Amino acid sequence: MTVPGILRALEEATLYHDALTWAQTDADLGLVDGLDAPTIAGLLDKRASSGHPASLLVIAPTGRRAESLAGALGSYAPNAEILTFPAWETLPHERLSPSPDTVGRRLETLRRITTWAGERPLIIVASVRAALQPIAANLGDTAPLALVLGGRGLELDGAVEQLVERAYSRVDMVSRRGEFAVRGGILDVFPPTSEHPYRVEFFGDEIDQIRAFSVADQRSLPGDVDRVELPATRELLLTADVRDRARSLISGFPAIAGMLEKMAEGIPVEGMESLLPAVSGPLKALAEYFPEGTAVALVDPERSSARAQSLGETNREFLDAAWSAATSGASAPIDLGAGDFLSVARLREIVRERDGVWWRFSPFATDDDDAANIDASIIPSFHGNVDGAIDFVEGKLADGWRLVIAASGAGLVDRARDVLSDRGLAARVVDALVDAPEAGVATLVLGALESGFQVPEAKLAVLTDNEFYGRTIGGDQRVVKKLASRRKNVVDPLQLKNGDFVVHSTHAHREVHRDDAARGLVGRTQRHQDHPRLSGSGVRAVQARLSGRQVVRADGPARSALEVRRR
């Protein structure tokens, strides 16, 4: 849902209104967390109304903050098109390729920037890592291969050739993004940005049927599919120019001749993106993809600058180490200096050279004459005490404040309405907050706001479910969850002593007897009445072999790396 009415209420505050006058020039703004998104939305609207391009690049310290900020901007600027630009999972010089889904999302965003004609505001949100990494200059020009149901003029062999040009891998059975398989007149292909792969049936030069199918059992899924778009899966496409450059480098760099020879033959190689500065021509910054006059907003500049400095140092340290290792026989990388991360200062120079403006949004107040501070404060923490939150709401409403409660789930909105009604407080649930909220009434809306804030001059308070319910109410569903980290308390099998316990996720735990680890065998499982997994019908005896990996102590997580064979 959307809440542009909050912007209208904020404009009644003098300092916020004055801050919007900086829309045409560089600005340093001091404001509390939660005010970033509405201020960015207000500045972009003011800038667009004066005839400047309604395009904006927002830079956040981390990818997680970029995802949450994109969600908040979608609530404050419902008419804008908001996309994220993810960073590589690898450093620029590493011999590892970014995942196809990351590449697919990046190419979709670059393609949209290139084709944007100003029909609606465009906001791209990126982490500082993604914004500072130089990228190839022509990535927005590569159109995806479109397969349309009933379309004619493209035969299966032609589709296969175009998939190879877009760096798709041909396999016997599709199981991962960026792969395709051919069986007769049927093409199975897994686009890098799709949830499921697709099965396309050709009848000569006509596409007869398109179906999604499951990777697990390869069976078709219900539902009709009319169109499939297949973007590239690599940011380094082996065009004729790239192949010629790779071929010319073979004699000068024998240590990586194998990689260069495959690239010269048009064969994608793992980690070939590390050679971008040498084979793809001049690189460019993400900001250079935007039209001239585009604004750039740097959120939390203190953290972003520290992150940028750390990335640059880490990248150079690893690069120097690679050159040192090359003298002792390791593969020697080509000079990757052109692909190093830009500094924040250099990125700001690029923006100014393109007649853009640079906005900084700091959570700290500043005393500079060319800066502005917005008089606002955070919502006090109630530590999950709903009664304390209700007392806060009641006090604000009694003083004639306008109060908005934005929750990330419909159930949380309904619960807030019921809780406030039980206390006799006026509450209204709205689908979208278009106009400024009414004073003396709590307005409840579904919205993906980052955090709450209060502006005394405008008599406006905004609470999210984090402030109203407390953070124990649940995780944030708007951001991408991280994978589980590597388990701790992991030891080598040869370190186990007689009497130690190991835990198997299926077969429970047993004592380790003398020489078990040394002989590579574990005998029968021992029954323990105090173990809940052995209290039922019992467990069959198992014979296990230590696989050379690691096992987990009994006081660690309930998991081991035993390979088990049932008797």
Side-chain angles (χ1 to χ4, degrees), residues 213 352 359 364 497:
F213 67 92
R352 286 177 171 174
W359 301 327
F364 305 104
K497 303 185 299 297

Side-chain angles (χ1 to χ4, degrees), residues 52-394:
H52 292 86
S55 54
L56 173 67
L57 171 60
V58 181
I59 303 175
T62 64
R64 187 180 183 90
R65 178 71 193 278
E67 292 282 348
S68 63
L69 190 58
L73 286 170
S75 297
Y76 288 113
N79 296 326
E81 182 178 2
I82 301 172
L83 301 173
T84 58
F85 186 76
W88 282 7
E89 304 92 343
T90 63
L91 291 173
H93 71 273
E94 284 187 294
R95 305 287 177 80
L96 296 172
S97 296
S99 63
D101 55 328
T102 298
V103 172
R105 291 174 58 196
R106 287 166 61 94
L107 293 182
E108 280 189 349
T109 300
L110 294 175
R111 176 73 176 169
R112 184 66 189 101
I113 298 173
T114 304
T115 59
W116 181 70
E119 61 275 8
R120 56 188 296 205
L122 178 65
I123 302 176
I124 306 299
V125 188
S127 66
V128 67
R129 177 171 183 163
L132 296 182
Q133 180 181 347
I135 51 183
N138 57 350
L139 294 180
D141 300 331
T142 304
L145 172 61
L147 302 179
V148 183
L149 182 64
R152 303 180 66 93
L154 179 65
E155 296 185 353
L156 178 58
D157 292 342
V160 170
E161 182 178 350
Q162 293 195 43
L163 288 175
V164 172
E165 292 176 354
R166 288 166 173 78
Y168 283 75
S169 301
R170 185 164 183 169
V171 295
D172 294 330
M173 185 175 68
V174 170
S175 60
R176 297 180 179 179
R177 291 181 173 87
E179 295 180 342
F180 75 95
V182 177
R183 300 189 311 278
I186 299 176
L187 170 67
D188 288 352
V189 60
F190 202 156
T193 56
S194 297
E195 292 290 335
H196 300 284
Y198 294 96
R199 182 161 292 145
V200 185
E201 296 187 14
F202 284 81
F203 186 75
D205 66 345
E206 181 181 359
I207 297 177
D208 188 56
Q209 190 177 44
I210 303 177
R211 295 167 293 169
F213 67 92
S214 171
V215 171
D217 55 13
Q218 299 289 303
R219 293 184 177 181
S220 299
L221 299 174
D224 298 330
V225 180
D226 298 327
R227 180 185 179 93
V228 174
E229 291 193 350
L230 305 173
T233 63
R234 297 289 187 98
E235 292 189 23
L236 176 58
L237 298 181
L238 300 177
T239 61
D241 291 340
V242 172
R243 294 198 299 268
D244 291 341
R245 293 190 186 102
R247 188 176 293 109
S248 66
L249 293 172
I250 294 176
S251 59
F253 296 91
I256 55 173
M259 175 185 291
L260 292 172
E261 288 173 355
K262 290 184 178 180
M263 293 173 61
E265 296 298 325
I267 303 173
V269 185
E270 175 68 19
M272 67 180 185
E273 289 82 0
S274 62
L275 304 180
L276 266 172
V279 299
S280 71
L283 305 183
K284 61 193 302 185
L286 173 61
E288 294 180 271
Y289 269 87
F290 287 81
E292 292 189 0
T294 295
V296 176
L298 181 65
V299 177
D300 201 344
E302 293 79 15
R303 289 184 59 199
S304 296
S305 298
R307 177 65 172 159
Q309 181 178 357
S310 175
L311 283 171
E313 292 174 353
T314 302
N315 191 48
R316 286 186 290 273
E317 287 175 2
F318 274 89
L319 184 58
D320 294 342
W323 276 109
S324 300
T327 60
S328 60
S331 296
I334 294 177
D335 184 10
L336 299 176
D340 196 6
F341 289 104
L342 302 172
S343 65
V344 175
R346 175 54 188 153
L347 182 61
R348 184 170 184 173
E349 291 176 0
I350 293 174
V351 173
R352 286 177 171 174
E353 292 170 359
R354 298 175 58 82
D355 296 325
V357 295
W358 183 271
W359 301 327
R360 287 165 39 103
F361 299 87
S362 174
F364 305 104
T366 176
D367 297 330
D368 296 339
D369 295 335
D370 56 348
N373 298 314
I374 299 178
D375 183 19
S377 60
I378 62 174
I379 301 297
S381 175
F382 304 106
H383 304 287
N385 181 8
V386 179
D387 290 335
I390 296 174
D391 293 339
F392 174 84
V393 171
E394 184 176 10

Side-chain angles (χ1 to χ4, degrees), residues 9-64:
L10 282 172
E11 290 180 357
E12 298 181 13
T14 303
L15 291 177
Y16 178 85
H17 186 270
D18 292 344
L20 297 186
T21 61
W22 294 82
Q24 319 308 330
T25 183
D26 292 355
D28 286 345
L29 302 177
L31 36 72
V32 298
D33 291 337
L35 265 179
D36 305 278
T39 306
I40 291 172
L43 284 169
L44 180 61
D45 183 64
K46 291 291 185 182
R47 183 168 177 79
S49 63
S50 62
H52 292 86
S55 54
L56 173 67
L57 171 60
V58 181
I59 303 175
T62 64
R64 187 180 183 90

Side-chain angles (χ1 to χ4, degrees), residues 1 3 75 404-416 443-449 462-469 473 478:
M1 300 299 177
V3 291
S75 297
V404 178
I405 300 177
S408 56
L412 297 178
V413 173
D414 293 338
R415 181 185 171 191
T443 303
L444 312 179
V445 65
L446 187 65
L449 308 188
V462 177
L463 288 77
T464 67
D465 45 13
N466 284 338
E467 289 89 22
F468 189 77
Y469 294 109
I473 195 67
R478 302 165 301 187

